[in-house]
Amino acid sequence: PEQKVDLTFTENQVLFNTDNTLVISRLIGGEFPKYKMVVPGECISKIRINTSELQDATKRAALLTNEGAPIVKMQITDDTLIVTSHTEAGHVHEELKTSRDGEQLQFAFNARYLNDILKVIGSEESYIEFTGPLSPGIIKPVSDVEYISLLLPVRLRGD
């Protein structure tokens, strides 16, 4: 049922009042961060990949990583994304079909963070864009270009 809601604003609070409910919330002070400053510019490489296949491959590769640092390596070739993990516990090497525009790249991500993005992306396919191997990767659903996630790659020894 519809109800009338009275709104009251003070300098640092907002009050929502109905017949039987009162909600008070503190307003955040300060200036909103200039997030567009951290979004990379023109990409040098962009892939389109099946979201669930990438998530499954990343989960499998993460099983053999160190618990404190679940790092998986990825390499973009002509039409393939290669997901690898090499530890004392074993080796994983999976190849996923993809379409690529731009350069071939090699990079590494924290598997836990990548999976956190992939499980909520809500699209059958995703784009991953790079401005360089050590710049943030932009991950976004193919179906909604307004939603983006940034994921910093992991610097590997020898990079």
Side-chain angles (χ1 to χ4, degrees):
E2 291 186 22
Q3 288 186 11
K4 178 182 170 194
V5 177
D6 292 322
L7 291 174
T8 306
F9 292 94
T10 67
E11 187 175 322
N12 61 355
Q13 292 181 329
V14 62
L15 177 112
F16 301 89
N17 192 8
T18 66
D19 292 336
N20 57 0
T21 305
L22 174 68
V23 176
I24 300 173
S25 179
R26 185 172 56 95
L27 299 174
I28 298 173
E31 194 174 311
F32 193 76
K34 296 180 176 157
Y35 67 93
K36 290 188 178 191
M37 303 269 304
V38 298
V39 176
E42 194 171 319
C43 67
I44 61 169
S45 188
K46 177 179 182 177
I47 63 170
R48 182 177 177 150
I49 192 154
N50 181 289
T51 305
S52 62
E53 287 178 9
L54 177 58
Q55 184 179 11
D56 291 344
T58 304
K59 282 181 185 177
R60 286 188 291 270
L63 290 173
L64 297 178
T65 62
N66 299 326
E67 191 172 311
I71 307 305
V72 294
K73 295 179 186 176
M74 299 184 178
Q75 181 178 359
I76 302 169
T77 63
D78 291 331
D79 62 351
T80 306
L81 176 68
I82 302 169
V83 179
T84 59
S85 175
H86 299 283
T87 65
E88 294 174 5
H91 303 289
V92 173
H93 178 102
E94 291 201 39
E95 297 185 8
L96 305 173
K97 287 296 227 184
T98 186
S99 60
R100 173 183 58 91
D101 290 325
E103 299 178 17
Q104 296 184 17
L105 283 178
Q106 187 168 345
F107 51 94
F109 282 137
N110 180 308
R112 190 175 310 124
Y113 298 155
L114 178 58
N115 275 323
D116 284 348
I117 292 169
L118 295 174
K119 70 182 172 187
V120 298
I121 207 155
S123 177
E124 187 176 324
E125 291 187 305
S126 300
Y127 289 119
I128 306 177
E129 300 175 358
F130 297 92
T131 57
L134 296 177
S135 298
I138 297 174
I139 304 167
K140 56 187 175 184
V142 169
S143 61
D144 182 7
V145 294
E146 295 298 316
Y147 170 82
I148 66 169
S149 294
L150 291 179
L151 183 59
L152 291 172
V154 176
R155 183 182 294 267
L156 299 172
R157 283 181 275 183
D159 281 355

